[in-house]
Structures are given as C-alpha cells and as structure tokens.
Amino acid sequence: MSTTRDPHDTISRRSFLKLAGLGSLAIPAGSADASIWEAFFRKSFREMNRDEVGAMLERLERRYAEEHGYQLAVKVTGPLPGVKYGYGLDLSRCVGCRRCVYGCVQENNQSRDPQLHWITVLRFAKGEKWVNDLERADAYYHAEAVPEDGYFYMPVQCQHCEDSPCEKACPTKATWREPDGIVVIDYDWCIGCRFCMAACPYGARRFNWGEPGLPAAELNPDTHYLGNRPRPKGVVEKCSFCIQRVRENPGRYPACVEICPVGARKFGNLLDPASEIRYCIDNKRVFRLKEDLNTNPKFFYFFAT
Amino acid sequence: MKTARAVAIPLLLQLALGGAARVTLPVAQAEEYPVPPPPLSDGIFPCSDCHADLEPDPTPRVLGMHEEIVERFHHAEAQRWCLDCHNPSDRDKLRLANGELIDFGESYKLCGQCHGTNFRDWRAGVHGKRTGMWNGRKEYRLCVHCHDPHRPRFAPIAPEPEPRRPWAIDTASEGEPSAPPPAHGQHGSE
C-alpha cells in the first residue's frame, strides 16, 4: 500500500540526515547560519572538551556583539579545589532596604524591563508564625524608611541545596550542582519547561517571560557562562553566588555581600574552619529554610545578637 | 635527657619570644585588621589645635561647645560623658579604661571594652560589613564607620523601590501591562 503513495511524501530518517548534511555543507562556513547549526548540534556543556568550549564561547561573544551590541568576555572558570561555598544571613541585622536586590541586578545582568530580580526581600510581622509560611510574607512592602516598627525582614534567594529538587526535576539536565556547591544553569540547554520552578520550595527561580531588556551601557562585561551572561527569552535563571566573582583566586565576595549597608550578609568556604561562615555556624543560632524538606541548603540564616 | 633539653630550650625560647610578641600585640593587631582612616568631621582634627591652650575641666557638665554632638548624644548618656573616652591631656588620643592612650584609628579597642561580644564577632569578620576577597585580603571597617560613636544606633534609611507585581510586568516588547492594576494600586516608581 505504500507503493500507492507519492515517494516524496515519506522521507526516511537516513535520507533526511543526508539532506541535512548537504544543507549544512551548502552554508558558507563562518557565516551566522553556520554558527546556528553549530550551536544547534553542540554537546552538553559538561561533555565538551576544551576546544569545543572555546569555539562555543567565541560564537557566544560574537552573537552578543552582533545581536545586542554587548562587548563582553564570557568565562568558564572551574571550581576551586577544596571549596564548598556557604552563605550566612543575619536576620537580626537586616533592615529590608533592598540594596542587595538592585546590587544583584546590576552585577548579574538581570533584565531591567521586564523587571526580573534574583533576590526577594520578605517582610514579616513580628510575633507571627512564619518560618515555613512564606506565603504570608509581603514582598511588595512600601515604606518611607526601614526598618519599620513591628516588622522584620528576610531576603530569600537560591539556597544552593545539596539535594536540590530543581536539579532532579530538570528533564534536560540543564541545571546541576557543581563540585563547589553552586547550583548552575546552562541557559543554552534550558528548554524553558519551568519544572525546576515548580520543584523549588523557595521560589528562587525566575523565568524570562519576555525578551530581556538590558541596555548595553548597563551591562557588566565580566561574565561567566554558568552565571551572569545575558540570557535569552524563555529560560530560567537564579542566584549563582556570583560565580563570576567567587571563583577567582583570590575571589571577591558576592555583590550582595559587598553592598549590604548593615553587614548582614556573610560568605565563605564551608570546608575552611577559619572562614566567616563556619564561625557563624559554630557560634550563632543558625537555621535553614524549610529544613524538614531535607534539601540541605547551603544558605544559613542566623541571629548574631 | 639530652633530647628533653633539646626540646625544652626551644620551648622556653618560644615562650620568651611569645611574651615579647604579646607586648607588641597592638601593632600586630593594627596590621591584622586593615581599616581605612576614621571618618573625622572636617576641620575638627587635630583636637589639640584648640584644646592645647585650654585647661581640662574633669567635671561632667553640659558643654557650651560642640553643640552638634551635645544635641545628638545618645550613648548611655546618663553614665557617660566626653572624658570617659577622650583623653583629657593629649586631646588627639583616645583613652582606654586602663589608661592606655590609642589613636583614633584604633578606636575599635575602645568600643570593644564594653561591647565585647560584638568585638569578638567583628574580629572574626562576622559583625559588620566586610569587603574584599573571601579567600584573600579582607577590608575591615572601624565601628565608627557605620555607627556614630555619639549616637550608635542606626538611623532608618529609605528602601529601594519594591518589585513590580507580576501583573504589572510587561513581557511583550510593547503595549499595556497584561492585567489592570488592583484597586489599591501600586506604590512607588511607576
């Protein structure tokens, strides 16, 4: 019965690949189209060798320059040996001023319009049940001056879980945990299904519903492939502990640590007993958000007083 | 026996040297906590410019001078006044409770006399803001860079604008926001 059909209707897989191969040959090497093919048939980031990564970065930087006018360098700095990053946030000091939110936007090239933030500062009324009831918090508080009487503030961002639900939910393995504990996203591997957002108990992941608006003049050109490089529409993004800063040796503190006017934010190596974060864990009353879920976050809230 | 002595002599030497090091501890500490110069008000330092010719009056009283400090002074003021921290004879120094004179650039020692737990946290890099490198050179700040020594409690500050509510985020490149604003409206920067 197949003989009754026009043979041109059915294209076998073999002939399709042949055609595709011919097609790719027909595209002049070095043109934008060729780079689209290369990008489409690339391997997963973790399977690439050095040359393939180099070619990919070159392609990326060229595309950023052509499409957006961004002049930037994309790094792929690997994890430092013997390092597991940990973060501390002193709830007794935070005044809810949101300097961290906008410091992060600037450092990590978030879209300005449509607005996208990696950090949410939650406001709670003092004395209310709160720790596992984030829905009752107000992220949109408006105040002439902070801190306000009767309230306290808790910034929430990616908790970099040791046992991260987002990683398990991702169908394409576009998000994973690096050896230094940073949960990263390969934006080019992300298909935008948002399963990770549904899986994250902390609401830390953000989706680019629209084409990110980032003026070239406001770009931070020091970028990391798995961190703050400009993102396309339709991918998920989140806090990366400022991977482009902290993986240098010596590495700078994350931008939110540096901008906090009250010094509520602490950062360091969990494996180094002399680090600030270890001092907090050893000497302060620390807790982690939604500990009962066994996600084992590396983000510690504490009370220094 | 011989080996015991061989161990004991360097040990004693070390103890002696350790003792010597303890005497010079203030210098070592100053290097350990690199701090920027203290934020002194313009034209007020050196204090000796005016005070060199004045006879120190140790009686606690309301000063006729330094009105801007007298007005805002709120630091256990019932128990404290100027000469508890400022040295009466050489005005360009601060004085610890034990009589030791220190520079304004080492004022954390003065604050640490009462605020011991905060001082301990500060030395560990946990109290107060820290910048620089997480695994390298850190930049410390003096207590007085953040706290006014005469009124240490932080004054409230204006927060950055609240995030836009999801309905107000325009994901299309042009056109109106996808839903009308609720009745109570959105505050701030629209």
Side-chain angles (χ1 to χ4, degrees), chain A residues 102 115 146 251 258 266 279 284, chain B residues 121 128-129 135 157 161 164:
Chain A
Y102 292 90
Q115 187 188 65
V146 288
E258 290 230 324
K266 303 294 156 197
Y279 180 91
K284 303 297 177 192
Chain B
D121 287 354
K129 178 169 173 162
N135 57 349
I157 52 173
R164 304 189 76 181

Side-chain angles (χ1 to χ4, degrees), chain A residues 60-79:
Chain A
L60 263 181
E61 286 165 11
R62 203 169 54 229
R63 207 184 68 210
Y64 281 136
E66 280 170 6
E67 291 178 13
H68 303 280
Y70 297 152
Q71 296 301 322
L72 50 76
V74 184
K75 300 185 286 194
V76 285
T77 325

Side-chain angles (χ1 to χ4, degrees), chain A residues 5-11:
Chain A
R5 263 184 172 173
D6 185 339
H8 290 102
D9 268 1
T10 55
I11 298 176

